[in-house]
Amino acid sequence: MRVSVRLDGRMPRRWHLRLIERMTHRSGVTVCVDARTGPGALPDNAALLFRLEAMLRRLPGDGPSAPVDRARIDAAGPAASGPPDLILDLCGDVEDGRVPVWRLAFDDAPGEAALLAALLAGRRPVVTIREGERLLASGRVGTEARSIMLTAFEDALVRTSSLVLAALDGTGPRLDGTDLPRRHRQGLSALDLGARAARLGARMVSRRLRALCIRAPHWRTGWRSLSGPDVIDLRAHPASGWNVLPDDERRFYADPFPIDDHEGTVLFVEDYVYGQEKGVISAVRFGAEGPRGTPVPVLEAGHHLSYPFVFRDGGTHWMVPESGSAGTLDLYRATAFPGGWVKESTLLSGLNASDPTLFRQGDLWWLFATVRDDGEHGGPFAGWGSYSDSLHLWSARDVRGPWKPHPMNPVVVDIASARSGGRIVERGGALFRPVQDCTETYGGALGLARIERLDEAGYAQRVETILRPGPLFLGTGLHTLNRSRTFEFIDGAGPALRRFGASSRADLARAT
């Protein structure tokens, strides 16, 4: 199949080049490029805004939006010498009734200007690829840096490439029941630019001063004794509210995963010590009245560990913690539960995967994780792309592997429902998956998604309930929900005052 990529040749970018290169790696696909001047280009002031953000934030200048020499585009996809079999229209100006045309749109408008307009309006844009009225792929793309337009723009470009390639493979994910957002005003006037620059400078000063006094977000783990329906049955916070697992404010406890043994419940958490700037896995045993003491470290590595997905199989306790910065997902076995963890095997490598969640269905294990950088750990776009908007699945007959990627990966592209937030549970024959709604901020809310299809040919889910912080759990976010036989656990974010020593007071005096 011969594909013509229609792009605006005035400003070819790295994401264009990488997309063309990856398309040519598809079996039976050749690519040509139509790079005439076209509509949908970024407003002139966008480059100035991006340079300003890059300077103030010390951001690299070689990301997906960076310009590339036109000769590299021409070498990757020579100009067409005849009619193609398919046109991929990135500009929105192709009118050709002779061959199929796939149109890329951001919130129903074509071109990079539409993407930036949605981001400037504070939206998480919906990316669609259509052939006429037929939807080939769609996703709600996101970022962990929504106030930084350059980072948000580049994260969205990375995930847009994922959707284009999935559509080309015939595996494009589709959002469930999402109304298409309205179009946004395009353009970035000098007044807009000046206002954004002023807000950016003020925000950076405010955040630096705030960071000297307050740790935010500071995650806290909530717990309660179970004597009736749990949160999945209630679809709400319990009327009794939650107890909070105490911390010393020099660390936080997050990602609560309980498991039962012959003595009762043991709770595993991410134990993040601010002074070390990384997480370890700690555990605390619960008695009838709650925690017996404070969590103690049981697993530490040279890199950050979190989301301690612990489970029992074959008479053995296992754990698969998140270790995305290392580029692997590793399986650990307990030799002296709740401690004595030793590495058993590496399940996946060469990717940056978040919040790995395992589920056994019959004789098949499933592994859920959101993947950054399209699974290209260390590739050309390493460091770009959201951690939270692209769900991938793998399956295996044995928990040790080998693990086979799902043919429809990514099965979901949605910043509101892709990332896992706890164990998958069954209720009345239905499967429910806690998910993180990161639309407004990372871990901002917790969704309950009903799994409507899970097999080796497809996956579908539908979010039925959204839980937010409020009077029964104060803070700015929720992000993990789990239970044991007798306890239920949740976590949420909020600020915590720093404890000042002499050096901290001196830092504050200098800053003010």
Side-chain angles (χ1 to χ4, degrees):
M1 179 172 64
R2 190 177 190 198
V3 181
S4 174
V5 178
R6 171 73 180 108
L7 58 86
D8 184 354
R10 289 174 297 178
M11 183 58 73
R13 304 184 187 277
R14 284 192 75 203
W15 85 276
H16 294 131
L17 178 62
R18 181 58 180 159
L19 176 61
I20 293 167
E21 291 173 343
R22 294 188 67 187
M23 290 173 67
T24 60
H25 293 160
R26 265 54 184 175
S27 176
V29 175
T30 60
V31 178
C32 57
V33 174
D34 176 1
R36 294 170 291 128
T37 297
L42 290 177
D44 293 338
N45 282 340
L48 182 57
L49 171 63
F50 290 166
R51 286 198 298 272
L52 177 65
E53 289 184 328
M55 178 184 67
L56 293 177
R57 297 281 186 171
R58 299 180 181 177
L59 302 175
D62 58 349
S65 70
V68 296
D69 190 276
R70 171 69 181 273
R72 297 184 65 186
I73 297 289
D74 293 338
S81 58
D85 301 303
L86 171 68
I87 298 173
L88 174 61
D89 183 8
L90 307 183
C91 295
D93 65 344
V94 174
E95 298 292 341
D96 192 328
R98 298 172 298 170
V99 298
V101 178
W102 289 6
R103 302 186 189 280
L104 173 68
F106 304 95
D107 282 1
D108 204 29
E112 293 178 341
L115 171 59
L116 182 59
L119 296 172
L120 288 169
R123 290 193 61 88
R124 307 286 72 79
V126 173
V127 181
T128 54
I129 302 165
R130 295 182 183 273
E131 181 183 333
E133 296 300 316
R134 184 165 70 101
L135 181 64
L136 303 171
S138 64
R140 185 186 292 105
V141 298
T143 182
E144 280 71 41
R146 60 175 300 185
S147 64
I148 307 172
M149 287 300 105
L150 174 57
T151 302
F153 184 70
E154 295 192 318
D155 285 350
L157 294 179
V158 169
R159 200 60 66 226
T160 296
S161 296
S162 303
L163 288 165
V164 171
L165 294 168
L168 189 63
D169 293 338
T171 62
R174 295 167 179 81
L175 289 176
D176 175 65
T178 300
D179 294 329
L180 205 60
R182 62 180 175 83
R183 296 190 181 195
H184 303 280
R185 178 178 66 87
Q186 298 186 18
L188 186 64
S189 68
L191 186 61
D192 293 334
L193 183 63
R196 290 201 66 85
R199 288 197 299 270
L200 177 62
R203 190 182 299 119
M204 289 183 66
V205 171
S206 174
R207 284 182 177 177
R208 287 177 180 175
L209 289 173
R210 178 179 170 85
L212 289 170
C213 301
I214 295 175
R215 302 190 191 277
H218 182 88
W219 292 91
R220 291 187 174 91
T221 289
W223 64 272
R224 71 181 185 111
S225 298
L226 270 179
S227 57
D230 62 13
V231 166
I232 290 181
D233 289 330
L234 292 170
R235 302 302 179 93
H237 289 285
S240 61
W242 301 87
N243 304 294
V244 174
L245 185 67
D247 61 63
D248 59 10
E249 296 185 355
R250 294 187 176 93
R251 69 185 69 231
F252 65 67
Y253 300 128
D255 297 341
F257 273 86
I259 192 167
D260 291 313
D261 67 1
H262 64 283
E263 295 184 36
T265 294
V266 178
L267 177 67
F268 291 82
V269 293
E270 172 197 348
D271 181 350
Y272 186 92
V273 181
Y274 290 109
Q276 297 178 3
E277 296 187 342
K278 73 168 187 176
V280 303
I281 305 304
S282 291
V284 59
R285 186 170 289 281
F286 270 61
E289 303 302 318
R292 296 176 178 172
T294 59
V296 297
V298 294
L299 178 61
E300 185 171 0
H303 49 268
H304 176 74
L305 294 175
S306 60
Y307 201 80
F309 190 94
V310 61
F311 62 103
R312 185 174 174 86
D313 182 63
T316 300
H317 287 95
W318 307 91
M319 187 194 301
V320 181
E322 178 189 313
S323 55
S325 60
T328 64
L329 284 182
D330 298 318
L331 175 68
Y332 292 84
R333 174 173 50 86
T335 60
F337 185 84
W341 295 94
V342 296
K343 182 178 172 181
E344 180 79 7
S345 63
T346 293
L347 306 184
L348 300 171
S349 62
L351 47 71
N352 192 329
S354 298
D355 295 347
T357 300
L358 281 73
F359 176 71
R360 188 168 188 172
Q361 187 178 55
D363 62 351
L364 197 64
W365 284 92
W366 290 99
L367 171 57
F368 295 66
T370 47
V371 175
R372 198 183 190 201
D373 311 329
D374 296 330
E376 297 177 278
H377 187 75
F381 289 163
W384 284 274
S386 172
Y387 294 91
S388 307
D389 66 356
S390 182
L391 175 64
H392 289 232
L393 299 181
W394 296 261
S395 60
R397 298 291 172 183
D398 187 281
V399 72
R400 299 172 186 83
W403 289 86
K404 179 176 68 174
H406 198 286
M408 304 296 284
N409 282 339
V411 296
V412 173
V413 173
D414 187 5
I415 193 65
S417 68
R419 189 163 179 165
S420 296
R423 291 191 182 99
I424 295 168
V425 299
E426 184 176 354
R427 288 291 186 278
L431 297 177
F432 288 91
R433 175 176 173 253
V435 298
Q436 296 184 44
D437 185 341
C438 302
T439 306
E440 298 301 323
T441 186
Y442 165 67
L446 188 68
L448 301 178
R450 181 189 293 264
I451 296 177
E452 299 184 323
R453 180 179 183 181
L454 175 59
D455 56 48
E456 294 181 271
Y459 177 79
Q461 67 177 34
R462 176 167 48 90
V463 175
E464 295 187 347
T465 302
I466 297 289
L467 296 175
R468 303 184 187 280
L472 296 175
F473 197 103
L474 298 176
T476 57
L478 297 173
H479 109 337
T480 312
L481 176 70
N482 283 302
R483 62 163 292 175
S484 65
R485 284 193 298 266
T486 53
F487 292 96
E488 189 169 35
F489 299 88
I490 200 167
D491 66 357
L497 291 175
R498 288 180 180 268
R499 295 189 176 185
F500 288 106
S503 60
S504 298
R505 287 192 292 270
D507 289 341
L508 181 59
R510 285 193 294 270
T512 55

